[in-house]
Amino acid sequence: MAEIRIDLEKCMGSGNCSYWAPGSFDLDDDGKVLVRDPATDEESRLVMAAEGCPVGAISIWHGERRIDQGAP
Ligand code: SF4
């Protein structure tokens, strides 16, 4: 199963990730990303969330292999 890694220092609370993978990502009261239940979204949605993050705060991994392409 894919592993989600987050760099909270980078997150600026845009909410793009919760649009692409609403079961996996949410925002906390401070407007920072919160990981919910990644098993509820297809892996492709996790990758879209990572690649859609405007500041590159999310990466998706299989072990030590990163499977998303990062922020544009
Ligand atoms: S898309 Fe990126 S910047 Fe926006 S809330 Fe998610 S992690 Fe934070």
Side-chain angles (χ1 to χ4, degrees), residues 6-7 10-18 25-27 31-34 49-50 52-58:
I6 301 286
D7 184 342
K10 287 184 179 174
C11 177
M12 41 70 90
S14 70
N16 297 32
C17 51
S18 58
F25 300 101
D26 202 352
L27 294 180
K32 292 281 189 176
V33 65
L34 201 61
C53 174
V55 293
I58 301 171

Side-chain angles (χ1 to χ4, degrees), residues 5 60-67:
R5 297 183 193 173
I60 311 296
W61 299 77
H62 279 175
E64 286 310 306
R65 184 171 63 90
R66 184 172 178 172
I67 63 168

Side-chain angles (χ1 to χ4, degrees), residues 1-69:
M1 189 169 130
E3 177 198 349
I4 298 171
R5 297 183 193 173
I6 301 286
D7 184 342
L8 274 182
E9 295 292 316
K10 287 184 179 174
C11 177
M12 41 70 90
S14 70
N16 297 32
C17 51
S18 58
Y19 171 79
W20 289 110
S24 303
F25 300 101
D26 202 352
L27 294 180
D28 67 15
D29 292 340
D30 297 323
K32 292 281 189 176
V33 65
L34 201 61
V35 176
R36 293 282 189 203
D37 184 3
T40 59
D41 290 304
E42 296 286 335
E43 188 173 280
S44 61
R45 305 288 293 187
L46 302 181
V47 169
M48 283 191 271
E51 294 175 356
C53 174
V55 293
I58 301 171
S59 55
I60 311 296
W61 299 77
H62 279 175
E64 286 310 306
R65 184 171 63 90
R66 184 172 178 172
I67 63 168
D68 69 281
Q69 302 297 311

